Amino acid sequence: MKSKLLLLCLSMEAVFAWGQLPYQNANLSASERAADLCGRLTLEEKAKLMVNSSEAIPRLGIPEFSWWNEALHGVARNGKATVFPCCIGMASSFDDALLYKVYSAVSDEGRAKHTAAEKRGKRYAGVSYWTPNINIFRDPRWGRGQETYGEDPYQTGRMASMVVKGLQGDDGHKYRKAFACAKHFAVHSGPESTRHHLNLDNISPRDLWETYLPAFKTLVKEAGVKEVMCAYQRLDGEPCCGNNRLLTQILRNEWGFDGIVVSDCGAIRDFYQKGHHEVSADAPSAAGKAVLSGTDVNCGSVYLKLPEAVEKGYIKESDIDVSVKRLLQGRFELGDFDSDELNDWTKIPESVVCSKEHKELALQMAREQMVLLHNKNHALPLERSEKVLLMGPNAADSLVLWSIYYGQPTHSVTIKEGIESKIGVIPYYKACELTDYNDSPTKNIRKVLEYGTDDYIPEANTSKEIYSVESALYAAEDYETVIFVGGISPIIEREEARVDLPGFKGGDRTSIELPMVQREILAALHWAGKKVIFVNCSGSAVALTPELKSCDAILQAWYPGEQGGYAVADVLYGDYNPSGKLPVTFYKDDSVLKDFEDYSLKGYTYRYIKQKPLFPYGFGLSYTTFEIGKAELTEKAGERVMIVPVTNTGGREGTEVVQLYMRCLDDKEGPNLTLRGYVRVTLKAGETRNVEIPVPESTFERFDSGTNTMRVVPGRYELLYGTSSAKSDLKSIKVKL
């Protein structure tokens, strides 16, 4: 607060001497104020404004500003905050309205924390949030897939639009609540180990326009996202942050984006760093190339060389002004230069942070994102009278709840704690670590929380217990039911993690199979006659083919956030009827995997898979049953709509997600089918309701190889509707355009 007052006092000297300057007039438009202020800056000052941690310029009353702040699934790296489930988990809810509420809560906490910090320029305390990640989760090995909303372009665009609108706030205010950022533009999804030098030069036009770009287009043209982050890798020989085709031709000229483009951290340095892209000779030429291509903010320090770039003729100052005006306009739109009294958003009290209401919201989302994958002979829900042993490396662990890019919850409800809230103290035997019986990967938590770095070392099990299959069987000897909480962990799947373990390397996975140590224990428990309930925690699809035999039930819990333990227990003991649906395909085994750097969709995702998956996209069981009736395609108020009868044929209330897919019968190279709509419907036992799904003209949009564009092409189409992407779960209506 003191630094802000000092800056205001210094700038007021100009006001007293000359009268109010145009950029200080809050009644002028943000663009008018930005143009005036830009004209008062020196070249060196302009360069300082174009890096992520922007210095104050006291002579003009410009405060410090941080462009880089995180809010992936809650305000991150900025002290206490509500930690919601990981994004891939929240995608399983297929609940747009709830997701909007989540991110409205996130931005409430962010704004309140920002106001409390009084714009000290503290890193991560700002309101420019570098989320959502809308890359397509094409390969289940990618460690950052947990940040995304799945493998489908339509679902990704639709759900991420709720993220953007929740973060940026509704219209009708003088200022924006916050800025959201669509990342990573474009065609980015691993591997982590090669992202600083990878060149993708064989992306087909169909994959580019039909899969990798649609979500970005949706966020730009429909959600009004204020920032876009360019990706690390090269596309057709040019780094994405220096790619004129991506940033100028497509993003700005075709889609009309008028916001701010930010680089990923270190991405401009990659232009010239040895062993990376090496497309520029040095920092000044790299800075000039990036700005001319349309990258406004450098996460790093390369842009401080822009004055030298001008001196050497790589770029003109007038080109730099284009970016500076965008940045200043954005800051004016956030109210960065004006009194808090003018800004409605500064009235949000700090008491919203980790409030009871936000914790309840985190719990509701954690419940809705649970996906019941397998339930043999109605093994779930459990009776409270069952004699149960809790087992597994993730059962009493809090880090597995948080995913990555997280804040610090006031309390994390482990799965053990959640179960004990139902049945009292439960006996617990860990049985193994994640990938080994007695060695565990651990991390320096302090460094992760404070600096965002990842340091992983194998640490031996320090308990006196030596784990083995035999010890697990001995521990379970007197119990009829074992709840095994395993899977993997954000400790070993994440961004550029320093991990080299069986099945994991550098943050990515080398195998999608469940770690063998856990597989062995589950099989042994099954052969010992135990009822085995497997809770799988992961941020990606895990191949669980053997577990269909060894486990009586499988619950996919993802990384469920700070309230995750309560949500898991609610499902296990029947207090909540699961309704989650998979936003990614669960493949049978490693045989489906191909070269990680092969970005062709052939053979991957439900849209192009050839073999039958283990669990299809859109799949999820319930404790009740549903029947989908014969749909009718009709018109209401001049708009085409599909009316689908849905009946709850089971014995308890439940929620179904009715899904609409499209395929073009004339497009032999196109996807098997592609999602075009979904609706959640909650029905009491025996209730029937007609669900309406809009079918606008864009439903039939597809890639036209004749024009290399996305458009509605006359021809024969099929609309498929049902409860998952599996053929057996769908009915269809033929349509001719």
Side-chain angles (χ1 to χ4, degrees), residues 70-85 90 101-103 105-110 113 350-363 365 401-402 405-412 560-563:
E70 299 289 354
L72 182 64
H73 53 111
V75 177
R77 299 173 174 178
N78 186 16
K80 300 297 183 185
T82 306
V83 178
F84 294 91
M90 291 194 286
K101 291 179 181 178
V102 165
Y103 281 92
V106 171
S107 56
D108 279 353
E109 294 195 6
K113 293 169 80 68
E350 199 172 1
S351 59
V352 302
V353 178
C354 301
S355 64
K356 178 183 177 183
E357 292 76 15
H358 289 183
K359 289 180 179 294
E360 290 174 349
L361 197 59
L363 175 57
M365 180 56 87
L401 307 174
W402 299 351
Y405 287 101
Y406 47 80
Q408 299 175 36
T410 55
H411 177 67
S412 297
E562 63 170 62
Q563 301 294 311

Side-chain angles (χ1 to χ4, degrees), residues 10 17 66 103 110 132 143 230 345 413 429 456 513 573 597 621 688:
L10 289 170
S66 175
Y103 281 92
C230 45
W345 303 115
V413 182
Y429 185 74
Y456 302 102
E513 301 286 350
Y573 283 91
E597 295 182 1
L621 299 173
T688 297

Side-chain angles (χ1 to χ4, degrees), residues 390-416:
L390 182 62
M391 189 178 283
N394 285 332
D397 182 50
S398 59
L399 294 183
V400 76
L401 307 174
W402 299 351
S403 185
I404 56 180
Y405 287 101
Y406 47 80
Q408 299 175 36
T410 55
H411 177 67
S412 297
V413 182
T414 66
I415 294 173
K416 180 176 184 291

Side-chain angles (χ1 to χ4, degrees), residues 377-660:
N377 298 324
H378 304 289
L380 291 178
L382 296 172
E383 298 290 340
R384 283 168 166 75
S385 59
E386 289 186 50
K387 192 175 182 182
V388 176
L389 173 68
L390 182 62
M391 189 178 283
N394 285 332
D397 182 50
S398 59
L399 294 183
V400 76
L401 307 174
W402 299 351
S403 185
I404 56 180
Y405 287 101
Y406 47 80
Q408 299 175 36
T410 55
H411 177 67
S412 297
V413 182
T414 66
I415 294 173
K416 180 176 184 291
E417 182 181 347
I419 292 173
E420 289 182 334
S421 72
K422 302 291 183 186
I423 62 172
V425 176
I426 186 172
Y428 170 57
Y429 185 74
K430 191 173 185 180
C432 66
E433 302 296 343
L434 288 169
T435 63
D436 197 283
Y437 280 104
N438 295 291
D439 287 332
S440 171
T442 62
K443 63 182 177 180
N444 186 325
I445 300 172
R446 184 185 64 81
K447 285 188 177 181
V448 171
L449 290 175
E450 294 184 6
Y451 308 111
T453 59
D454 298 318
D455 292 320
Y456 302 102
I457 54 172
E459 183 177 275
N461 171 24
T462 56
S463 70
K464 295 181 180 180
E465 185 74 51
I466 301 299
Y467 300 132
S468 65
V469 169
E470 291 75 18
S471 71
L473 289 175
Y474 181 78
E477 189 174 14
D478 295 330
Y479 298 91
E480 58 185 285
T481 300
V482 176
I483 301 173
F484 188 97
V485 185
I488 51 182
S489 166
I491 293 176
I492 53 179
E493 63 163 349
R494 60 188 297 122
E495 183 177 6
E496 285 191 313
R498 298 172 189 172
V499 169
D500 189 359
L501 295 167
F504 303 86
K505 189 174 182 64
D508 296 317
R509 298 161 65 193
T510 58
S511 168
I512 62 172
E513 301 286 350
L514 184 69
M516 184 55 69
V517 59
Q518 298 180 48
R519 179 160 285 172
E520 290 174 351
I521 292 173
L522 291 170
L525 291 170
H526 170 70
W527 287 112
K530 306 301 178 183
K531 178 180 175 180
V532 181
I533 309 300
F534 178 43
V535 178
N536 186 65
C537 299
S538 67
S540 52
V542 178
L544 300 171
T545 299
E547 284 64 51
L548 288 183
K549 293 183 178 179
S550 63
C551 301
D552 295 275
I554 301 174
L555 179 66
Q556 177 65 28
W558 307 105
Y559 301 138
E562 63 170 62
Q563 301 294 311
Y566 287 145
V568 168
D570 283 344
V571 172
L572 294 182
Y573 283 91
D575 293 329
Y576 182 80
N577 190 355
S579 60
K581 300 285 188 173
L582 291 178
V584 290
T585 301
F586 273 47
Y587 302 101
K588 290 182 178 179
D589 52 44
D590 281 343
S591 65
V592 71
L593 301 178
K594 55 184 181 180
D595 183 351
F596 202 166
E597 295 182 1
D598 180 358
Y599 270 66
S600 167
L601 271 296
K602 291 181 179 178
Y604 269 8
T605 79
Y606 80 95
R607 296 166 67 237
Y608 287 98
I609 193 173
K610 298 302 180 185
Q611 66 273 59
K612 185 178 180 181
L614 183 64
F615 301 114
Y617 172 91
F619 173 80
L621 299 173
S622 169
Y623 292 150
T624 189
T625 54
F626 297 93
E627 182 179 299
I628 305 297
K630 184 178 180 181
E632 177 187 3
L633 193 60
T634 185
E635 283 195 8
K636 279 194 172 184
E639 298 292 332
R640 187 187 287 118
V641 63
M642 177 176 281
I643 300 176
V644 184
V646 186
T647 302
N648 182 344
T649 56
R652 62 176 292 176
E653 181 179 292
T655 299
E656 182 59 274
V657 178
V658 183
Q659 302 156 44
L660 174 67

Side-chain angles (χ1 to χ4, degrees), residues 95-324:
D95 193 336
D96 301 350
L98 182 60
L99 193 65
Y100 175 81
K101 291 179 181 178
V102 165
Y103 281 92
S104 292
V106 171
S107 56
D108 279 353
E109 294 195 6
R111 255 299 174 176
K113 293 169 80 68
H114 176 66
T115 303
E118 293 295 346
K119 301 180 181 177
R120 292 191 303 264
K122 178 185 174 185
R123 191 181 183 190
Y124 300 117
V127 289
S128 163
Y129 294 118
W130 287 0
T131 196
N133 183 337
I134 57 171
N135 294 129
I136 298 302
F137 198 174
R138 63 174 180 93
D139 190 309
R141 290 170 290 187
W142 188 31
R144 297 188 71 181
Q146 61 190 286
E147 300 178 29
T148 76
Y149 292 86
E151 69 185 37
D152 180 77
Y154 172 84
Q155 183 189 9
T156 296
R158 181 165 157 179
M159 299 202 80
S161 291
M162 297 298 102
V163 177
V164 170
K165 292 176 180 179
L167 287 176
Q168 295 187 169
D170 53 6
D171 296 330
H173 298 266
K174 181 176 178 62
Y175 302 104
R176 278 290 175 190
K177 189 179 186 183
F179 280 0
C181 178
K183 66 182 187 184
H184 309 81
F185 191 62
V187 198
H188 179 78
S189 53
E192 289 296 293
S193 60
T194 64
R195 65 186 189 174
H196 296 289
H197 60 80
L198 178 65
N199 179 35
L200 301 174
D201 59 0
N202 59 351
I203 305 299
S204 72
R206 177 184 288 275
D207 284 345
L208 179 68
W209 291 101
E210 201 168 54
T211 297
Y212 292 119
L213 294 185
F216 286 97
K217 183 178 180 181
T218 297
L219 264 60
V220 167
K221 294 183 73 66
E222 298 178 22
V225 71
K226 298 299 293 184
E227 298 176 15
V228 171
M229 178 187 286
C230 45
Y232 281 115
Q233 85 284 343
R234 278 172 285 160
L235 183 64
D236 296 326
E238 290 286 358
C240 289
C241 291
N243 195 304
N244 186 70
R245 182 190 179 204
L246 279 178
L247 301 182
T248 299
Q249 294 178 23
I250 296 175
L251 183 61
R252 295 201 185 275
N253 295 345
E254 292 188 31
W255 297 348
F257 180 66
D258 60 1
I260 296 162
V261 173
V262 304
S263 83
D264 210 334
C265 295
I268 311 302
R269 186 180 64 237
D270 286 343
F271 287 18
Y272 62 89
Q273 187 169 342
K274 187 173 178 60
H276 292 204
H277 296 315
E278 297 188 67
V279 298
S280 298
D282 52 23
S285 61
K289 178 181 177 64
V291 174
L292 285 172
S293 299
T295 302
D296 303 307
V297 176
N298 166 213
C299 186
S301 59
V302 179
Y303 276 10
L304 298 179
K305 297 291 186 179
L306 279 170
E308 186 178 340
V310 171
E311 182 181 339
K312 292 183 175 180
Y314 294 132
I315 190 171
K316 298 190 295 291
E317 185 171 357
S318 58
D319 296 317
I320 293 172
D321 287 348
V322 174
S323 288
V324 172

